[in-house]
Amino acid sequence: MEPSPEDAIKLLKEKGKEAFETGNFLKALNLYTEAISIESESESLYANRSFCNLKLGKLDEAMSDALKAVALQPTWSKGHYRVGEVFWAMKNPEEAIAYYQQALELV
């Protein structure tokens, strides 16, 4: 019997978290991408994949996912924090600080 979409997403998120925590960022990225193919409106999946892309040095992809997380849930502080992290990695501290401040205001 196939797992429900919700159970599949939960399992993929758990496996993605485990892979990330062990430093296997590419595996984590692929697991989060698979979860997004099931549930494309989850801000946390995009934020998690953004962090994987950031760790892999894929800054454009990291930014795209972070902005998608913000678009899906504008009042979620973690999305804004992720955008700030990417701007920081892109050596754009002014934009990073603006997003960090916005994240703090949403906490």
Side-chain angles (χ1 to χ4, degrees):
M1 186 168 113
E2 289 283 317
S4 69
E6 295 81 15
D7 288 342
I9 292 166
K10 183 178 178 185
L11 181 62
L12 289 165
K13 281 179 85 170
E14 289 171 3
K15 287 184 175 187
K17 182 179 179 185
E18 289 171 14
F20 188 91
E21 288 175 348
T22 60
N24 194 339
F25 305 124
L26 184 58
K27 181 177 180 181
L29 177 107
N30 290 332
L31 289 162
Y32 291 129
T33 298
E34 187 177 346
I36 288 169
S37 75
I38 300 168
E39 174 52 64
S40 64
E41 299 297 308
S42 170
E43 69 278 356
S44 66
L45 290 174
Y46 282 100
N48 291 347
R49 190 172 74 174
S50 173
F51 200 25
C52 293
N53 277 314
L54 181 63
K55 290 291 193 177
L56 291 168
K58 299 178 174 183
L59 300 183
D60 290 339
E61 292 91 338
M63 182 61 81
S64 177
D65 282 345
L67 290 171
K68 178 71 173 180
V70 169
L72 288 169
Q73 188 57 260
T75 60
W76 189 48
S77 64
K78 189 174 181 179
H80 295 274
Y81 175 77
R82 287 280 181 251
V83 175
E85 289 288 277
V86 179
F87 272 125
W88 191 262
M90 291 177 160
K91 310 277 191 262
N92 189 335
E94 296 83 13
E95 287 291 330
I97 290 168
Y99 273 90
Y100 290 148
Q101 286 176 332
Q102 198 164 7
L104 284 172
E105 290 169 11
L106 293 169
V107 174

